PDB file of all heavy atoms in Angstrom:
ATOM      1  N   PRO A  27      -4.821   3.403  -6.172  1.00 95.00           N
ATOM      2  CA  PRO A  27      -5.520   4.645  -5.823  1.00 95.00           C
ATOM      3  C   PRO A  27      -4.658   5.864  -5.484  1.00 95.00           C
ATOM      4  O   PRO A  27      -5.162   6.971  -5.356  1.00 95.00           O
ATOM      5  CB  PRO A  27      -6.316   4.277  -4.495  1.00 95.00           C
ATOM      6  CG  PRO A  27      -5.310   3.231  -3.920  1.00 95.00           C
ATOM      7  CD  PRO A  27      -4.759   2.517  -5.071  1.00 95.00           C
ATOM      8  N   ASN A  28      -3.330   5.736  -5.378  1.00 96.00           N
ATOM      9  CA  ASN A  28      -2.500   6.819  -4.914  1.00 96.00           C
ATOM     10  C   ASN A  28      -1.773   7.443  -6.047  1.00 96.00           C
ATOM     11  O   ASN A  28      -1.905   7.299  -7.177  1.00 96.00           O
ATOM     12  CB  ASN A  28      -1.611   6.267  -3.838  1.00 96.00           C
ATOM     13  CG  ASN A  28      -2.433   5.791  -2.597  1.00 96.00           C
ATOM     14  OD1 ASN A  28      -3.471   6.274  -2.350  1.00 96.00           O
ATOM     15  ND2 ASN A  28      -1.988   4.752  -1.982  1.00 96.00           N
ATOM     16  N   GLU A  29      -0.746   8.273  -5.630  1.00 96.00           N
ATOM     17  CA  GLU A  29       0.020   9.026  -6.539  1.00 96.00           C
ATOM     18  C   GLU A  29       0.943   8.246  -7.436  1.00 96.00           C
ATOM     19  O   GLU A  29       1.544   7.240  -7.028  1.00 96.00           O
ATOM     20  CB  GLU A  29       0.881  10.079  -5.816  1.00 96.00           C
ATOM     21  CG  GLU A  29       0.124  11.167  -5.191  1.00 96.00           C
ATOM     22  CD  GLU A  29      -0.608  12.146  -6.064  1.00 96.00           C
ATOM     23  OE1 GLU A  29      -0.022  12.481  -7.099  1.00 96.00           O
ATOM     24  OE2 GLU A  29      -1.769  12.443  -5.729  1.00 96.00           O
ATOM     25  N   ILE A  30       1.007   8.635  -8.796  1.00 97.00           N
ATOM     26  CA  ILE A  30       1.867   8.064  -9.713  1.00 97.00           C
ATOM     27  C   ILE A  30       2.759   9.062 -10.200  1.00 97.00           C
ATOM     28  O   ILE A  30       2.358  10.157 -10.712  1.00 97.00           O
ATOM     29  CB  ILE A  30       1.165   7.359 -10.842  1.00 97.00           C
ATOM     30  CG1 ILE A  30       0.176   6.283 -10.334  1.00 97.00           C
ATOM     31  CG2 ILE A  30       2.130   6.674 -11.898  1.00 97.00           C
ATOM     32  CD1 ILE A  30      -0.761   5.710 -11.353  1.00 97.00           C
ATOM     33  N   PHE A  31       4.167   8.715 -10.199  1.00 95.00           N
ATOM     34  CA  PHE A  31       5.128   9.720 -10.683  1.00 95.00           C
ATOM     35  C   PHE A  31       5.906   9.022 -11.766  1.00 95.00           C
ATOM     36  O   PHE A  31       6.548   7.973 -11.539  1.00 95.00           O
ATOM     37  CB  PHE A  31       6.023  10.172  -9.554  1.00 95.00           C
ATOM     38  CG  PHE A  31       7.193  10.943 -10.044  1.00 95.00           C
ATOM     39  CD1 PHE A  31       6.993  12.291 -10.344  1.00 95.00           C
ATOM     40  CD2 PHE A  31       8.511  10.511 -10.197  1.00 95.00           C
ATOM     41  CE1 PHE A  31       8.045  13.129 -10.746  1.00 95.00           C
ATOM     42  CE2 PHE A  31       9.542  11.277 -10.648  1.00 95.00           C
ATOM     43  CZ  PHE A  31       9.393  12.601 -10.858  1.00 95.00           C
ATOM     44  N   LEU A  32       5.911   9.560 -13.029  1.00 94.00           N
ATOM     45  CA  LEU A  32       6.609   8.938 -14.179  1.00 94.00           C
ATOM     46  C   LEU A  32       7.693   9.822 -14.651  1.00 94.00           C
ATOM     47  O   LEU A  32       7.780  10.088 -15.945  1.00 94.00           O
ATOM     48  CB  LEU A  32       5.654   8.456 -15.252  1.00 94.00           C
ATOM     49  CG  LEU A  32       4.625   7.493 -14.768  1.00 94.00           C
ATOM     50  CD1 LEU A  32       3.680   7.162 -15.959  1.00 94.00           C
ATOM     51  CD2 LEU A  32       5.253   6.213 -14.355  1.00 94.00           C
ATOM     52  N   GLY A  33       8.578  10.279 -13.760  1.00 87.00           N
ATOM     53  CA  GLY A  33       9.831  10.927 -14.134  1.00 87.00           C
ATOM     54  C   GLY A  33       9.648  11.888 -15.379  1.00 87.00           C
ATOM     55  O   GLY A  33       8.768  12.670 -15.354  1.00 87.00           O
ATOM     56  N   ALA A  34      10.545  11.727 -16.276  1.00 76.00           N
ATOM     57  CA  ALA A  34      10.515  12.521 -17.512  1.00 76.00           C
ATOM     58  C   ALA A  34       9.823  11.901 -18.666  1.00 76.00           C
ATOM     59  O   ALA A  34      10.101  12.307 -19.784  1.00 76.00           O
ATOM     60  CB  ALA A  34      11.998  12.911 -17.843  1.00 76.00           C
ATOM     61  N   CYS A  35       9.123  10.866 -18.454  1.00 83.00           N
ATOM     62  CA  CYS A  35       8.310  10.209 -19.532  1.00 83.00           C
ATOM     63  C   CYS A  35       7.254  11.121 -20.087  1.00 83.00           C
ATOM     64  O   CYS A  35       6.777  12.001 -19.460  1.00 83.00           O
ATOM     65  CB  CYS A  35       7.668   8.996 -18.938  1.00 83.00           C
ATOM     66  SG  CYS A  35       8.835   7.819 -18.143  1.00 83.00           S
ATOM     67  N   SER A  36       6.987  10.833 -21.387  1.00 83.00           N
ATOM     68  CA  SER A  36       5.883  11.556 -22.021  1.00 83.00           C
ATOM     69  C   SER A  36       4.990  10.718 -22.977  1.00 83.00           C
ATOM     70  O   SER A  36       3.869  11.095 -23.183  1.00 83.00           O
ATOM     71  CB  SER A  36       6.468  12.793 -22.756  1.00 83.00           C
ATOM     72  OG  SER A  36       7.240  12.241 -23.801  1.00 83.00           O
ATOM     73  N   LEU A  37       5.505   9.641 -23.415  1.00 85.00           N
ATOM     74  CA  LEU A  37       4.772   8.874 -24.417  1.00 85.00           C
ATOM     75  C   LEU A  37       3.465   8.251 -23.814  1.00 85.00           C
ATOM     76  O   LEU A  37       2.473   8.094 -24.515  1.00 85.00           O
ATOM     77  CB  LEU A  37       5.628   7.650 -24.921  1.00 85.00           C
ATOM     78  CG  LEU A  37       5.126   6.890 -26.038  1.00 85.00           C
ATOM     79  CD1 LEU A  37       4.797   7.684 -27.301  1.00 85.00           C
ATOM     80  CD2 LEU A  37       6.113   5.801 -26.472  1.00 85.00           C
ATOM     81  N   PHE A  38       3.447   8.020 -22.473  1.00 90.00           N
ATOM     82  CA  PHE A  38       2.278   7.484 -21.821  1.00 90.00           C
ATOM     83  C   PHE A  38       1.042   8.374 -22.061  1.00 90.00           C
ATOM     84  O   PHE A  38      -0.030   7.881 -22.050  1.00 90.00           O
ATOM     85  CB  PHE A  38       2.513   7.144 -20.336  1.00 90.00           C
ATOM     86  CG  PHE A  38       2.681   8.437 -19.508  1.00 90.00           C
ATOM     87  CD1 PHE A  38       1.502   8.935 -18.818  1.00 90.00           C
ATOM     88  CD2 PHE A  38       3.846   9.023 -19.339  1.00 90.00           C
ATOM     89  CE1 PHE A  38       1.564  10.045 -18.058  1.00 90.00           C
ATOM     90  CE2 PHE A  38       3.921  10.170 -18.396  1.00 90.00           C
ATOM     91  CZ  PHE A  38       2.828  10.639 -17.910  1.00 90.00           C
ATOM     92  N   MET A  39       1.309   9.733 -22.129  1.00 88.00           N
ATOM     93  CA  MET A  39       0.209  10.632 -22.337  1.00 88.00           C
ATOM     94  C   MET A  39      -0.443  10.474 -23.666  1.00 88.00           C
ATOM     95  O   MET A  39      -1.699  10.700 -23.877  1.00 88.00           O
ATOM     96  CB  MET A  39       0.655  12.132 -22.161  1.00 88.00           C
ATOM     97  CG  MET A  39       1.104  12.339 -20.719  1.00 88.00           C
ATOM     98  SD  MET A  39       1.682  14.042 -20.563  1.00 88.00           S
ATOM     99  CE  MET A  39       3.435  13.809 -21.044  1.00 88.00           C
ATOM    100  N   LEU A  40       0.288  10.144 -24.696  1.00 84.00           N
ATOM    101  CA  LEU A  40      -0.251   9.844 -25.968  1.00 84.00           C
ATOM    102  C   LEU A  40      -0.896   8.409 -26.051  1.00 84.00           C
ATOM    103  O   LEU A  40      -1.977   8.266 -26.742  1.00 84.00           O
ATOM    104  CB  LEU A  40       0.809   9.951 -27.095  1.00 84.00           C
ATOM    105  CG  LEU A  40       1.320  11.292 -27.309  1.00 84.00           C
ATOM    106  CD1 LEU A  40       2.527  11.358 -28.215  1.00 84.00           C
ATOM    107  CD2 LEU A  40       0.333  12.342 -27.681  1.00 84.00           C
ATOM    108  N   ALA A  41      -0.230   7.450 -25.488  1.00 88.00           N
ATOM    109  CA  ALA A  41      -0.648   6.050 -25.571  1.00 88.00           C
ATOM    110  C   ALA A  41      -1.849   5.811 -24.651  1.00 88.00           C
ATOM    111  O   ALA A  41      -2.729   4.974 -25.041  1.00 88.00           O
ATOM    112  CB  ALA A  41       0.473   5.174 -25.124  1.00 88.00           C
ATOM    113  N   ASP A  42      -2.049   6.490 -23.645  1.00 90.00           N
ATOM    114  CA  ASP A  42      -3.128   6.221 -22.653  1.00 90.00           C
ATOM    115  C   ASP A  42      -3.618   7.567 -22.053  1.00 90.00           C
ATOM    116  O   ASP A  42      -3.369   7.895 -20.932  1.00 90.00           O
ATOM    117  CB  ASP A  42      -2.776   5.274 -21.596  1.00 90.00           C
ATOM    118  CG  ASP A  42      -3.859   4.927 -20.628  1.00 90.00           C
ATOM    119  OD1 ASP A  42      -4.992   5.348 -20.961  1.00 90.00           O
ATOM    120  OD2 ASP A  42      -3.663   4.141 -19.674  1.00 90.00           O
ATOM    121  N   PRO A  43      -4.246   8.467 -22.867  1.00 90.00           N
ATOM    122  CA  PRO A  43      -4.634   9.749 -22.380  1.00 90.00           C
ATOM    123  C   PRO A  43      -5.573   9.693 -21.170  1.00 90.00           C
ATOM    124  O   PRO A  43      -5.408  10.583 -20.305  1.00 90.00           O
ATOM    125  CB  PRO A  43      -5.318  10.395 -23.552  1.00 90.00           C
ATOM    126  CG  PRO A  43      -5.208   9.588 -24.767  1.00 90.00           C
ATOM    127  CD  PRO A  43      -4.710   8.274 -24.273  1.00 90.00           C
ATOM    128  N   VAL A  44      -6.408   8.810 -21.149  1.00 93.00           N
ATOM    129  CA  VAL A  44      -7.313   8.687 -19.969  1.00 93.00           C
ATOM    130  C   VAL A  44      -6.504   8.162 -18.703  1.00 93.00           C
ATOM    131  O   VAL A  44      -6.594   8.819 -17.644  1.00 93.00           O
ATOM    132  CB  VAL A  44      -8.459   7.702 -20.238  1.00 93.00           C
ATOM    133  CG1 VAL A  44      -9.340   7.458 -19.059  1.00 93.00           C
ATOM    134  CG2 VAL A  44      -9.310   8.245 -21.420  1.00 93.00           C
ATOM    135  N   GLY A  45      -5.684   7.188 -18.923  1.00 94.00           N
ATOM    136  CA  GLY A  45      -4.884   6.721 -17.746  1.00 94.00           C
ATOM    137  C   GLY A  45      -3.864   7.630 -17.290  1.00 94.00           C
ATOM    138  O   GLY A  45      -3.436   7.574 -16.138  1.00 94.00           O
ATOM    139  N   ALA A  46      -3.470   8.661 -18.155  1.00 95.00           N
ATOM    140  CA  ALA A  46      -2.435   9.560 -17.796  1.00 95.00           C
ATOM    141  C   ALA A  46      -2.903  10.699 -16.890  1.00 95.00           C
ATOM    142  O   ALA A  46      -2.012  11.245 -16.200  1.00 95.00           O
ATOM    143  CB  ALA A  46      -1.857  10.199 -19.133  1.00 95.00           C
ATOM    144  N   VAL A  47      -4.185  10.995 -16.840  1.00 96.00           N
ATOM    145  CA  VAL A  47      -4.708  12.037 -15.985  1.00 96.00           C
ATOM    146  C   VAL A  47      -4.348  11.815 -14.525  1.00 96.00           C
ATOM    147  O   VAL A  47      -4.509  10.723 -13.999  1.00 96.00           O
ATOM    148  CB  VAL A  47      -6.306  12.144 -16.160  1.00 96.00           C
ATOM    149  CG1 VAL A  47      -6.835  13.174 -15.203  1.00 96.00           C
ATOM    150  CG2 VAL A  47      -6.626  12.546 -17.612  1.00 96.00           C
ATOM    151  N   GLY A  48      -3.690  12.872 -14.015  1.00 96.00           N
ATOM    152  CA  GLY A  48      -3.381  12.812 -12.566  1.00 96.00           C
ATOM    153  C   GLY A  48      -1.928  12.415 -12.334  1.00 96.00           C
ATOM    154  O   GLY A  48      -1.394  12.411 -11.205  1.00 96.00           O
TER     155      GLY A  48
END
Side-chain angles (χ1 to χ4, degrees):
N28 297 326
E29 293 292 320
I30 301 171
F31 175 79
L32 296 180
C35 302
S36 62
L37 188 58
F38 73 92
M39 292 178 276
L40 296 172
D42 186 2
V44 173
V47 173

